[in-house]
């Protein structure tokens, strides 16, 4: 299924899946925060490091299944598969977007 996601979100999933041509700066605000696996990653450099480590460790692929606006956030339910126990899993990505960039992301 292909969803018609807002541009910052579609860029994020392309970047997360290792697709060429998308830069971290295309997705995230300079002072963005990502919360994943009980850890916070603040700023573009920390988020880039988190993404690189996750790709190397899990070799994952994320497929957005559903998108909705809820309480001022973009909420995407996704199927994530990779080299981790229990793969695939369904996770919720909660995005806060400002000025066409992601300023906050919580994955769980």
């Amino acid at each position: 299924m292909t969803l018609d996601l807002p541009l910052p979100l579609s860029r994020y999933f392309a970047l997360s899946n290792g697709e060429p041509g998308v830069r971290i700066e295309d997705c995230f605000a300079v002072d963005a925060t990502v919360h994943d696996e009980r850890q916070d990653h603040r700023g573009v450099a920390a988020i880039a490091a988190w993404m690189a480590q996750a790709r190397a460790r899990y070799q994952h692929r994320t497929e957005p299944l559903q998108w909705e606006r809820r309480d001022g956030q973009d909420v995407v339910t996704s199927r994530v598969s990779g080299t981790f126990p229990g793969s695939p899993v369904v996770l919720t990505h909660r995005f806060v977007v400002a000025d066409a960039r992601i300023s906050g992301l919580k994955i769980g």
Side-chain angles (χ1 to χ4, degrees):
M1 170 191 288
T2 301
L3 297 178
D4 188 19
L5 296 172
L7 188 57
L9 279 57
S10 63
R11 284 179 174 164
Y12 166 79
F13 286 109
L15 183 66
S16 176
N17 287 332
E19 295 177 18
V22 181
R23 301 173 311 135
I24 192 95
E25 298 85 0
D26 296 333
C27 300
F28 289 94
V30 173
D31 58 349
T33 301
V34 172
H35 181 83
D36 183 40
E37 296 185 287
R38 297 184 206 116
Q39 294 185 343
D40 289 324
H41 310 278
R42 290 184 176 86
V44 172
I47 293 169
W50 159 75
M51 290 189 95
Q53 290 168 354
R55 291 236 23 95
R57 183 173 181 190
Y58 301 122
Q59 300 163 14
H60 63 279
R61 178 109 186 125
T62 305
E63 177 190 2
L65 303 172
Q66 182 179 6
W67 165 63
E68 64 181 315
R69 291 276 305 154
R70 188 182 327 146
D71 299 324
Q73 297 182 344
D74 290 285
V75 181
V76 179
T77 304
S78 302
R79 179 181 303 114
V80 182
S81 57
T83 57
F84 54 85
S87 175
V89 297
V90 175
L91 296 177
T92 301
H93 293 71
R94 298 179 187 277
F95 296 90
V96 176
V97 177
D99 298 324
R101 298 278 190 274
I102 298 164
S103 61
L105 170 58
K106 290 184 182 180
I107 302 171

